[in-house]
Amino acid sequence: MPTVTDQSVREELRSWLADAWDPELTVGEWWERLADAGWAVPTWPAGWLGRDLPRELAPVVASEVRAAGAIGPPAGLGMLLAGPTILAHGSDAQKERYLRPIVTGAEGWCQLFSEPGAGSDLASLQTRAERDGDEWIITGQKVWTSGASIADLGMLLARSNPDAPKHQGITYFLFPMDQPGVEVRPLREMTGRALFSEVFFDDARVADAAALGGVDQGWAVANTTLAAERAGLGSGGSGAGGAAFPGRKGGMLQQRAGDLAERAGRGGAVQPAAFGRAFDVLCELAEKLGRRGDPIVRQRLVELYTLNELGRMTGLRIKAARAVGRGPGPEANTAKLLMSKTARLVRDLGPEVLGPEGAIMGPETTGGGVVQEMTLFAPAPSIYGGTDEIQKNIIGERILGLPKEPGPDKHTPFRDLKVGTQPDG
Ligand SMILES: Cc1cc2nc3c(=O)[nH]c(=O)nc-3n(C[C@H](O)[C@H](O)[C@H](O)COP(=O)(O)OP(=O)(O)OC[C@H]3O[C@@H](n4cnc5c(N)ncnc54)[C@H](O)[C@@H]3O)c2cc1C
């Protein structure tokens, strides 16, 4: 087999794009084309919609697609989390059923993990799964579920065996959202948007065939999802955003692909909180508003540039570790902390650059309101995908070798625990 190099990938993809990219297609049609050619998920196995490309070549593919003025594959949690988790733990039948609609954007996903009493201590979750023939009945509540109102499917963690210790009685279901037992209640944030929702289950149903990785084996499966989340967030993902939302309810499948490409090219606010672009946005605004000479603004812009570079290099370390077969390790935790730090700096610097206008929301303000939105969204990265404190705990325990937090609950049946009062061991 010929060796795949940066150059050979560029050449093959450029010639494919020259034929295949057509701005008149709908977004849905374009995503089908991208998926069929293996360019949507080039690092996935060739048998499952990919091309077996090494991970370090993924950015090459993304940059060629951008350079051709085309749009990339669907954004969102299907591609970021559900796909990699199903690839790692799914049966062939499950891969057949779920992977293609993820890659073509036909179905959108949400992550039904956190509950009011189970966030950092996720294994304390109380949503129940009770077997009923070849189905399971789901009862309980989730919260903070990003994109729940437009998702077709959810990655659901539910307690299938309360007699087992808390990490051992959880099942991971590939859960259909559109059914009578599911109620999604959007929560409005201070940005004015409702990115996430509460989700209530009242005798909802899911097939036994949709249990991923085995009944009561969900904790290991969940850890695959969480590792993908940390790695994705650390390398600049938002956890819920991206270029265009998949799924019928996302409303983008029928749009003209060329229109979306044009919006993305203009840096249009398709994604609400684009901290990755903050340096360019703030430099441009500082220039426009005559604040570029201000020594404090200059100093903080350099600080932001430095953090971005550290983030980029940490991202390279994550890729290098993966290339030699090491999963995302400590680098992912530091990358996640860097992202929180960057968001806090943007929160402080943005209003300084904008001046009094920084206190007004709205597209008519200089910069179109993107800076104000980033300022209001800034607390989020230090919470989602594992809070800053949890990242520091992991670094302390697994890297610095500090003693673990006490957790006497590892062997106690879940039903005998005082749930929500014990830190995760
Ligand atoms: C924008 C956004 C999107 C999200 N999207 C999703 C989603 O799609 N799906 C989903 O399932 N969840 C989602 N989440 C939820 C997120 O994963 C949880 O908020 C997070 O895990 C923290 O849990 P919690 O909110 O219950 O806080 P808690 O766990 O109750 O923590 C409260 C505080 O205590 C601290 N703390 C807790 N335990 C310890 C400890 N052992 N040591 C030191 N400090 C500790 C925390 O750091 C925090 O400051 C999202 C959150 C946000 C902000």
Side-chain angles (χ1 to χ4, degrees), residues 138-164:
I138 308 294
T139 315
Q141 186 198 341
K142 298 288 171 178
V143 72
W144 296 102
T145 315
S146 305
S149 53
I150 55 169
D152 303 287
L153 288 145
M155 297 160 259
L156 170 70
L157 293 183
R159 184 152 311 275
S160 43
N161 183 359
D163 294 319

Short mmCIF file of all heavy atoms in Angstrom, two decimals, residues 138-164:
data_model
loop_
_atom_site.label_atom_id
_atom_site.label_comp_id
_atom_site.label_asym_id
_atom_site.label_seq_id
_atom_site.Cartn_x
_atom_site.Cartn_y
_atom_site.Cartn_z
N ILE A 138 -37.23 3.92 31.40
CA ILE A 138 -36.34 4.95 31.97
C ILE A 138 -37.16 5.98 32.74
O ILE A 138 -38.12 6.54 32.22
CB ILE A 138 -35.54 5.67 30.85
CG1 ILE A 138 -34.83 4.66 29.93
CG2 ILE A 138 -34.56 6.68 31.43
CD1 ILE A 138 -33.75 3.84 30.57
N THR A 139 -36.72 6.26 33.98
CA THR A 139 -37.41 7.24 34.82
C THR A 139 -36.36 8.09 35.52
O THR A 139 -35.40 7.55 36.08
CB THR A 139 -38.25 6.53 35.92
OG1 THR A 139 -38.94 5.46 35.32
CG2 THR A 139 -39.22 7.48 36.57
N GLY A 140 -36.53 9.42 35.48
CA GLY A 140 -35.57 10.28 36.19
C GLY A 140 -35.41 11.62 35.51
O GLY A 140 -36.28 12.04 34.73
N GLN A 141 -34.30 12.29 35.81
CA GLN A 141 -34.08 13.64 35.27
C GLN A 141 -32.61 13.89 34.96
O GLN A 141 -31.73 13.49 35.72
CB GLN A 141 -34.53 14.69 36.29
CG GLN A 141 -34.44 16.10 35.73
CD GLN A 141 -34.45 17.20 36.78
OE1 GLN A 141 -34.85 16.97 37.92
NE2 GLN A 141 -34.00 18.38 36.41
N LYS A 142 -32.38 14.57 33.86
CA LYS A 142 -31.04 15.07 33.52
C LYS A 142 -31.09 16.59 33.49
O LYS A 142 -32.17 17.19 33.39
CB LYS A 142 -30.60 14.54 32.14
CG LYS A 142 -30.50 13.03 32.06
CD LYS A 142 -29.30 12.51 32.82
CE LYS A 142 -29.28 11.01 32.94
NZ LYS A 142 -28.10 10.49 33.63
N VAL A 143 -29.91 17.22 33.54
CA VAL A 143 -29.87 18.69 33.47
C VAL A 143 -28.62 19.11 32.70
O VAL A 143 -27.74 18.27 32.50
CB VAL A 143 -29.91 19.30 34.90
CG1 VAL A 143 -28.61 19.09 35.65
CG2 VAL A 143 -30.27 20.79 34.87
N TRP A 144 -28.59 20.34 32.25
CA TRP A 144 -27.46 20.88 31.48
C TRP A 144 -27.32 20.18 30.12
O TRP A 144 -26.21 20.13 29.58
CB TRP A 144 -26.12 20.64 32.17
CG TRP A 144 -25.79 21.23 33.47
CD1 TRP A 144 -25.82 20.62 34.68
CD2 TRP A 144 -25.29 22.55 33.73
NE1 TRP A 144 -25.37 21.46 35.66
CE2 TRP A 144 -25.04 22.65 35.10
CE3 TRP A 144 -25.02 23.66 32.91
CZ2 TRP A 144 -24.54 23.79 35.70
CZ3 TRP A 144 -24.51 24.81 33.51
CH2 TRP A 144 -24.28 24.85 34.89
N THR A 145 -28.38 19.61 29.57
CA THR A 145 -28.20 18.80 28.37
C THR A 145 -28.12 19.70 27.12
O THR A 145 -29.15 20.16 26.61
CB THR A 145 -29.37 17.81 28.22
OG1 THR A 145 -29.61 17.20 29.50
CG2 THR A 145 -29.05 16.75 27.21
N SER A 146 -26.89 19.94 26.65
CA SER A 146 -26.68 20.82 25.49
C SER A 146 -27.37 20.24 24.26
O SER A 146 -27.23 19.05 23.97
CB SER A 146 -25.19 20.97 25.17
OG SER A 146 -24.49 21.41 26.29
N GLY A 147 -28.07 21.07 23.56
CA GLY A 147 -28.68 20.67 22.29
C GLY A 147 -29.82 19.68 22.42
O GLY A 147 -30.26 19.11 21.42
N ALA A 148 -30.37 19.48 23.63
CA ALA A 148 -31.42 18.46 23.79
C ALA A 148 -32.64 18.76 22.94
O ALA A 148 -33.29 17.85 22.42
CB ALA A 148 -31.84 18.36 25.26
N SER A 149 -32.93 20.06 22.76
CA SER A 149 -34.18 20.39 22.06
C SER A 149 -34.09 20.10 20.56
O SER A 149 -35.12 20.02 19.89
CB SER A 149 -34.55 21.86 22.30
OG SER A 149 -33.46 22.66 21.95
N ILE A 150 -32.88 19.94 20.03
CA ILE A 150 -32.78 19.63 18.60
C ILE A 150 -32.17 18.24 18.35
O ILE A 150 -31.91 17.87 17.21
CB ILE A 150 -31.98 20.70 17.82
CG1 ILE A 150 -30.60 20.92 18.43
CG2 ILE A 150 -32.75 22.00 17.71
CD1 ILE A 150 -29.68 21.76 17.55
N ALA A 151 -31.97 17.47 19.43
CA ALA A 151 -31.33 16.15 19.25
C ALA A 151 -32.35 15.08 18.90
O ALA A 151 -33.48 15.10 19.37
CB ALA A 151 -30.59 15.77 20.53
N ASP A 152 -31.92 14.12 18.08
CA ASP A 152 -32.75 12.96 17.78
C ASP A 152 -32.44 11.82 18.75
O ASP A 152 -33.29 11.00 19.05
CB ASP A 152 -32.45 12.46 16.35
CG ASP A 152 -32.70 13.56 15.34
OD1 ASP A 152 -33.87 13.86 15.10
OD2 ASP A 152 -31.72 14.14 14.83
N LEU A 153 -31.18 11.76 19.19
CA LEU A 153 -30.74 10.67 20.06
C LEU A 153 -29.91 11.22 21.20
O LEU A 153 -29.32 12.31 21.08
CB LEU A 153 -29.89 9.68 19.25
CG LEU A 153 -30.69 8.84 18.25
CD1 LEU A 153 -29.88 8.58 17.00
CD2 LEU A 153 -31.12 7.53 18.89
N GLY A 154 -29.85 10.47 22.30
CA GLY A 154 -29.03 10.91 23.43
C GLY A 154 -28.14 9.78 23.91
O GLY A 154 -28.52 8.60 23.85
N MET A 155 -26.94 10.16 24.41
CA MET A 155 -26.07 9.19 25.08
C MET A 155 -26.52 9.19 26.53
O MET A 155 -26.23 10.12 27.28
CB MET A 155 -24.61 9.66 25.00
CG MET A 155 -24.06 9.75 23.60
SD MET A 155 -22.60 10.84 23.53
CE MET A 155 -23.32 12.35 22.88
N LEU A 156 -27.29 8.18 26.91
CA LEU A 156 -27.94 8.19 28.22
C LEU A 156 -27.25 7.24 29.20
O LEU A 156 -27.08 6.06 28.91
CB LEU A 156 -29.40 7.75 28.06
CG LEU A 156 -30.15 7.47 29.36
CD1 LEU A 156 -30.40 8.76 30.14
CD2 LEU A 156 -31.47 6.77 29.09
N LEU A 157 -26.88 7.79 30.36
CA LEU A 157 -26.40 6.94 31.45
C LEU A 157 -27.53 6.74 32.44
O LEU A 157 -28.12 7.72 32.91
CB LEU A 157 -25.22 7.59 32.18
CG LEU A 157 -23.92 7.77 31.41
CD1 LEU A 157 -22.85 8.36 32.32
CD2 LEU A 157 -23.44 6.44 30.84
N ALA A 158 -27.84 5.48 32.76
CA ALA A 158 -28.92 5.21 33.72
C ALA A 158 -28.51 4.05 34.63
O ALA A 158 -27.71 3.19 34.25
CB ALA A 158 -30.20 4.87 32.97
N ARG A 159 -29.09 4.08 35.86
CA ARG A 159 -28.73 3.05 36.84
C ARG A 159 -29.59 1.80 36.61
O ARG A 159 -30.79 1.81 36.82
CB ARG A 159 -28.93 3.58 38.27
CG ARG A 159 -28.47 2.58 39.30
CD ARG A 159 -28.01 3.21 40.58
NE ARG A 159 -27.07 4.30 40.40
CZ ARG A 159 -25.75 4.17 40.26
NH1 ARG A 159 -25.20 2.97 40.25
NH2 ARG A 159 -24.98 5.24 40.11
N SER A 160 -28.94 0.75 36.14
CA SER A 160 -29.65 -0.49 35.81
C SER A 160 -29.56 -1.50 36.95
O SER A 160 -30.33 -2.45 36.99
CB SER A 160 -29.08 -1.09 34.52
OG SER A 160 -27.67 -1.02 34.54
N ASN A 161 -28.63 -1.29 37.89
CA ASN A 161 -28.49 -2.25 38.99
C ASN A 161 -28.10 -1.52 40.28
O ASN A 161 -26.92 -1.34 40.58
CB ASN A 161 -27.43 -3.30 38.64
CG ASN A 161 -27.31 -4.35 39.72
OD1 ASN A 161 -28.00 -4.28 40.75
ND2 ASN A 161 -26.44 -5.32 39.49
N PRO A 162 -29.11 -1.12 41.09
CA PRO A 162 -28.81 -0.38 42.32
C PRO A 162 -28.17 -1.26 43.40
O PRO A 162 -27.69 -0.74 44.41
CB PRO A 162 -30.19 0.14 42.77
CG PRO A 162 -31.19 -0.68 42.05
CD PRO A 162 -30.55 -1.25 40.84
N ASP A 163 -28.14 -2.58 43.19
CA ASP A 163 -27.52 -3.46 44.19
C ASP A 163 -26.00 -3.55 44.00
O ASP A 163 -25.30 -4.06 44.87
CB ASP A 163 -28.13 -4.87 44.10
CG ASP A 163 -29.59 -4.83 44.49
OD1 ASP A 163 -29.92 -4.12 45.47
OD2 ASP A 163 -30.42 -5.47 43.81
N ALA A 164 -25.52 -3.08 42.86
CA ALA A 164 -24.08 -3.12 42.60
C ALA A 164 -23.45 -1.83 43.13
O ALA A 164 -24.14 -0.81 43.26
CB ALA A 164 -23.84 -3.25 41.11
#
